[in-house]
Amino acid sequence: YCIARNLHSSDDLKLVLVSLQICVAVIGLVCILQVATGQNFRLTGGVLPEDPYSITFRAAGISGSPNYTAAYLATLLPILLTQVFDFPRGRFGLSPLVAPLLGFVGLFLTASRGALVSGASGTVAVLYLLLRHRYLKGRHLTAALLVLACLLLLNRDRILSRIHEGAENLENRANLNRTAANIIRAYPFFGIGINTYTTKMDTFTPPDVAYEWTYMVHNKYLLIWSEMGTSAIVFFLWSLVATGIVCLQLIRSPDPI
């Protein structure tokens, strides 16, 4: 929202997009190296311990968390896909294709199911807009589907192992939501404090699951609500709606930027 409101020239837009491409490419490369070495190494030195709750090695990127890295990539990749097409020249460019490819590989290597779904949803939306404005043709979609099929085949075992975690995993996450709901009921207005969820969650864990798997709630909305209160979640939802409104205005705008 802030970026969209402060782009005043094509140079501003180019600077933002090139910066995002570099970030996504670096993270994708780090994820590839982590899987190749079998270690979630830190760029500052040291190695992160393996996740005891997952039977599949998951690349953590530079954030130290597979889920955070996946969320970052899933957010940016649909944006970068729009830059693969060189609009002024009416053709596809190869250099802007490198960062999304590395990013998608990195996203698959994090094995984050939620991020994969959200990334796919954003990608479908971008492809729809490109088709609507006749920037895409059948051969382009065919090529994209072939790349996707290759990624799925290369990560087949990783994806299947995550899917097989299935029902029990979903039940555990539902219990995490119950803990967050208890915190919200206890601190509805201002929450328990930013970045304090993991230090206080045991106090609010339901008694029937107190000795089972406990972790930070895997729901961004509940996490914001429980840590920062009702006003924060309202503001967060408003920012999403405002961003959507700006996107609609930009879609309808004749301004090429």
Side-chain angles (χ1 to χ4, degrees):
Y1 178 80
C2 294
I3 291 175
R5 287 294 188 185
N6 288 279
L7 292 177
H8 303 296
S9 68
S10 58
D11 289 338
D12 293 340
L13 181 59
K14 184 177 180 180
L15 176 62
V16 170
L17 293 174
V18 170
S19 299
L20 294 180
Q21 288 173 359
I22 293 173
C23 292
V24 168
V26 169
I27 293 175
L29 284 172
V30 169
C31 289
I32 293 171
L33 290 174
Q34 288 173 336
V35 171
T37 59
Q39 293 182 326
N40 276 321
F41 55 82
R42 297 176 183 269
L43 296 183
T44 55
V47 177
L48 295 171
E50 294 187 15
D51 184 359
Y53 302 109
S54 179
I55 61 176
T56 303
F57 180 82
R58 303 174 61 194
I62 61 176
S63 70
S65 166
N67 290 335
Y68 288 161
T69 296
Y72 180 85
L73 292 173
T75 301
L76 294 183
L77 283 171
I79 299 174
L80 296 186
L81 275 181
T82 63
Q83 302 310 303
V84 174
F85 191 87
D86 190 344
F87 296 98
R89 299 181 182 179
R91 60 181 175 82
F92 280 85
L94 293 178
S95 56
L97 186 60
V98 175
L101 280 177
L102 290 174
F104 274 113
V105 172
L107 178 58
F108 274 95
L109 295 180
T110 63
S112 175
R113 293 162 295 191
L116 283 170
V117 172
S118 62
S121 300
T123 300
V124 169
V126 168
L127 292 177
Y128 167 75
L129 290 174
L130 292 176
L131 280 170
R132 179 183 175 185
H133 292 282
R134 300 181 180 179
Y135 291 123
L136 281 182
K137 297 181 180 179
R139 63 177 182 272
H140 302 142
L141 286 179
T142 301
L145 290 175
L146 286 175
V147 172
L148 176 60
C150 291
L151 289 175
L152 290 173
L153 288 174
L154 291 173
N155 290 274
R156 177 177 177 274
D157 294 337
R158 185 183 307 276
I159 295 172
L160 288 177
S161 66
R162 289 288 286 163
I163 292 175
H164 290 160
E165 294 178 12
E168 182 181 354
N169 194 289
L170 292 175
E171 183 179 351
N172 288 333
R173 294 190 180 207
N175 292 331
L176 300 183
N177 292 343
R178 292 171 58 193
T179 300
N182 289 339
I183 295 175
I184 293 169
R185 280 192 288 267
Y187 298 92
F189 300 109
F190 302 106
I192 57 173
I194 300 176
N195 295 329
T196 61
Y197 188 96
T198 55
T199 62
K200 299 180 180 179
M201 63 183 183
D202 291 340
T203 306
F204 300 93
T205 301
D208 58 314
V209 295
Y211 298 100
E212 298 183 14
W213 182 64
T214 58
Y215 201 73
M216 180 183 291
V217 62
H218 281 45
N219 184 308
K220 191 65 175 179
Y221 302 95
L222 292 179
L223 179 62
I224 291 174
W225 198 349
S226 58
E227 286 195 335
M228 294 182 281
T230 302
S231 58
I233 188 62
V234 170
F235 178 80
F236 181 68
L237 292 173
W238 171 84
S239 68
L240 295 180
V241 173
T243 301
I245 293 173
V246 171
C247 289
L248 290 175
Q249 291 174 343
L250 293 175
I251 290 173
R252 298 170 182 172
S253 173
D255 190 337
I257 296 179

